[in-house]
Amino acid sequence: METEWYKLDSAGKLYASTVSSRVSTVFRLSVNMYDTIDASLLQEALEETLEELSFFKVIVKRGVFWYYFEKTATIPTVSEEHFYPCSNLFFSGRNTFPYRVLYYNKKISLELSHMLTDGTGGMEFLKLLIINYLNKTGADMSSLRKNRSDYNFDNAFFQHYDKQVPNWQDTLDKAYKLPLRLDKRGVYHVTTGKLEINVLKSISKQYQTSITTYLMALYAEILIDIQAQNSKKRRPITINVPVNLRNFFETDTLKNFFVSVPVTIDPRLGAYSFKDITETISIELKRYLNDKQLKTLIARGVRGERNFLLRALPLFMKDWISPMVHARFGENLYTSSISNLGVIALEDELEKHVERFEFYPPPSIGNKIKAGVISYKDDMYITFGNLSNDRLVERTFFRRLVKEGIKIKIETNRSAY
């Protein structure tokens, strides 16, 4: 009988060849329950979830030209959390899973490589895992099972690729890089700020802008100030904004389906007031966030993957070349990244068991600090992931929010904040 296997999607192929001890490609989705986690029941729930979403029941394999996923009968084991988050899954050349499930006290954490899926796909897996876990504890979640969508595992990039659409044409200058010294390998500092959405919305309205634009403008202003204090030479401040393409194109895929949109503030053009920054970001987002412009970004990625010379290169050559290409045409163009998974909505039966969610962005040596945003019920959780021991960016960001009148509860895995 022939072994069942899957191709990686267009984004996953790039991530597969850029993995290193510093660039794990692993992001985290966490859920805090109101009761302490039972490890044995969580293991049973994971096994049931993998039967229902069998695409996740795979290991990573090396092929001659590409990495691929192979179906497996083996089930990963849930484990208690002991190490830094988003650490390398060490699947390069090994038959290992592209994800892990961890628990600690009342928290369940799902860590996934971007080889497999994005935040949307990961969240659907985590929601189903929670439902199955609660069923094991005796809570009746049977009514929710009827409402689950029938997902697929198609490469949606190919489905929405239009041969007539030209590649994305914008050219970006090398962006300003924060002068941060890398900490020891494997160390990933995370700092989460919890704040009330309604208060943030009220302050955003005072600036006549949206919450997303306000947060990006605040972050950009901080980065501009840091550059002014530390460098005589000015470079663009460019923030990478991952965009969920499911909001613009119809698909039920659980594979990766997002593109990176660049939002740039260029200090070489002169001084920017906060109003200038918000207006510039708003214009940039409006320019990109439509199906026509997003198709050009899809076209760029798909055509790159279909390039004959790239396809013909053996995998060991791709593993050598891809990190350099990704740095030159990807991370060198960005100062940092903000990824917002939006508001997580749960059914009433499920919501009463879930206290909060968190989202940690994947560590990256090219952008040593990134931000992940997720909202649930009345609160927003903003998490900075940082590969350095310098906490200036996080401190400044949250202190400026406090000055605006926003109360923030800070949590961090650092020894002291």
Side-chain angles (χ1 to χ4, degrees):
M1 181 178 175
E2 191 174 350
T3 303
E4 191 174 356
W5 61 281
Y6 300 109
K7 292 181 179 180
L8 274 66
D9 59 58
S10 302
K13 287 180 178 178
L14 173 63
Y15 282 108
S17 291
T18 58
V19 174
S20 70
S21 59
R22 296 284 195 187
V23 185
S24 70
T25 77
V26 175
F27 63 96
R28 171 184 286 199
L29 299 169
S30 295
V31 58
N32 277 48
M33 313 295 283
Y34 285 111
D35 297 312
T36 303
I37 303 302
D38 185 314
S40 61
L41 296 183
L42 180 60
Q43 181 65 43
E44 292 178 18
L46 175 60
E47 294 174 9
E48 186 174 338
T49 303
L50 288 171
E51 290 302 318
E52 295 181 67
L53 294 178
S54 60
F55 171 73
F56 286 79
K57 200 176 179 182
V58 294
I59 54 176
V60 180
K61 303 282 286 187
R62 289 180 63 95
V64 177
F65 297 101
W66 300 102
Y67 290 94
Y68 64 95
F69 294 130
E70 183 178 272
K71 293 280 286 184
T72 179
T74 307
I75 301 293
T77 302
V78 303
S79 57
E80 188 171 12
E81 183 172 0
H82 294 291
F83 305 106
Y84 284 96
C86 306
S87 60
N88 203 315
L89 286 159
F90 299 108
F91 47 68
S92 182
R94 308 187 187 187
N95 299 332
T96 54
F97 297 96
Y99 59 91
R100 62 170 71 94
V101 176
L102 307 169
Y103 65 92
Y104 185 77
N105 289 339
K106 300 178 181 181
K107 177 187 285 189
I108 300 172
S109 295
L110 174 64
E111 295 193 338
L112 309 106
S113 168
H114 255 306
M115 287 176 63
L116 181 64
T117 187
D118 55 19
T120 300
M123 184 55 69
E124 290 305 320
F125 185 94
L126 181 58
K127 285 180 182 178
L128 185 56
L129 177 63
I130 298 168
I131 290 171
N132 289 332
Y133 172 75
L134 289 171
N135 270 326
K136 303 293 181 185
T137 66
D140 185 8
M141 297 286 120
S142 57
S143 62
L144 303 184
R145 315 204 56 82
K146 305 171 189 174
N147 300 325
R148 308 302 298 179
S149 300
D150 293 324
Y151 296 107
N152 63 61
F153 307 104
D154 299 332
N155 187 342
F157 290 104
F158 281 5
Q159 291 178 338
H160 296 281
Y161 166 62
D162 188 339
K163 293 181 179 180
Q164 307 303 316
V165 172
N167 284 8
W168 178 63
Q169 297 295 324
D170 284 9
T171 56
L172 300 175
D173 288 340
K174 185 176 180 181
Y176 170 69
K177 296 295 182 181
L178 288 162
L180 304 177
R181 180 178 295 179
L182 289 167
D183 209 328
K184 294 181 292 186
R185 293 180 187 274
V187 174
Y188 194 42
H189 301 287
V190 292
T191 304
T192 300
K194 174 186 175 184
L195 58 146
E196 292 184 17
I197 297 175
N198 285 337
V199 178
L200 182 60
K201 183 183 293 185
S202 176
I203 291 174
S204 300
K205 283 184 178 180
Q206 293 176 21
Y207 289 98
Q208 299 179 326
T209 190
S210 67
I211 288 177
T212 299
T213 300
Y214 172 75
L215 291 176
M216 289 180 61
L218 182 64
Y219 193 32
E221 185 178 52
I222 290 168
L223 296 173
I224 290 171
D225 291 345
I226 291 175
Q227 178 175 214
Q229 295 167 16
N230 291 276
S231 176
K232 293 182 179 179
K233 187 175 182 179
R234 298 289 183 265
R235 287 194 178 276
I237 302 296
T238 301
I239 299 175
N240 172 10
V241 184
V243 173
N244 181 6
L245 293 173
R246 298 170 185 82
N247 295 329
F248 300 88
F249 304 97
E250 187 174 348
T251 180
D252 290 322
T253 186
L254 287 184
K255 284 191 175 185
N256 288 298
F257 195 43
F258 72 97
V259 292
S260 294
V261 166
V263 175
T264 298
I265 304 294
D266 195 342
R268 296 173 300 183
L269 303 180
Y272 282 79
S273 67
F274 190 75
K275 182 180 179 182
D276 292 335
I277 297 173
T278 58
E279 289 178 349
T280 301
I281 291 175
S282 180
I283 290 170
E284 287 287 284
L285 291 177
K286 287 178 181 177
R287 182 164 73 95
Y288 279 109
L289 299 187
N290 60 80
D291 59 351
K292 294 178 178 60
Q293 286 297 317
L294 292 172
K295 277 187 176 181
T296 67
L297 289 163
I298 293 174
R300 181 184 66 164
V302 172
R303 289 199 181 105
E305 176 190 350
R306 289 183 170 180
N307 181 278
F308 174 77
L309 292 177
L310 177 63
R311 291 169 60 190
L313 286 176
L315 185 56
F316 77 91
M317 289 291 290
K318 289 188 178 80
D319 285 347
W320 178 60
I321 293 173
S322 292
M324 293 184 286
V325 173
H326 184 54
R328 170 65 181 83
F329 298 101
E331 295 201 328
N332 282 353
L333 306 179
Y334 300 111
T335 306
S336 186
S337 171
I338 294 181
S339 183
N340 190 347
L341 292 189
V343 179
I344 304 303
L346 300 179
E347 297 88 345
D348 292 342
E349 301 96 314
L350 186 56
E351 189 178 89
K352 64 184 180 182
H353 296 278
V354 175
E355 179 187 6
R356 61 187 278 185
F357 285 93
E358 290 177 45
F359 164 46
Y360 298 177
S364 166
I365 194 171
N367 297 154
K368 300 182 185 74
I369 183 167
K370 295 180 176 179
V373 183
I374 195 168
S375 301
Y376 176 65
K377 292 183 179 177
D378 298 324
D379 297 312
M380 174 179 284
Y381 301 87
I382 304 173
T383 297
F384 284 92
N386 194 336
L387 285 175
S388 84
N389 198 35
D390 191 306
R391 59 203 77 186
L392 174 64
V393 173
E394 303 97 308
R395 276 181 169 175
T396 306
F397 184 88
F398 289 126
R399 283 175 178 175
R400 290 202 183 179
L401 286 176
V402 170
K403 284 183 179 179
E404 293 280 5
I406 301 174
K407 293 181 180 179
I408 300 178
K409 180 181 179 182
I410 300 292
E411 299 173 359
T412 181
N413 65 350
R414 294 181 185 272
S415 55
Y417 191 76

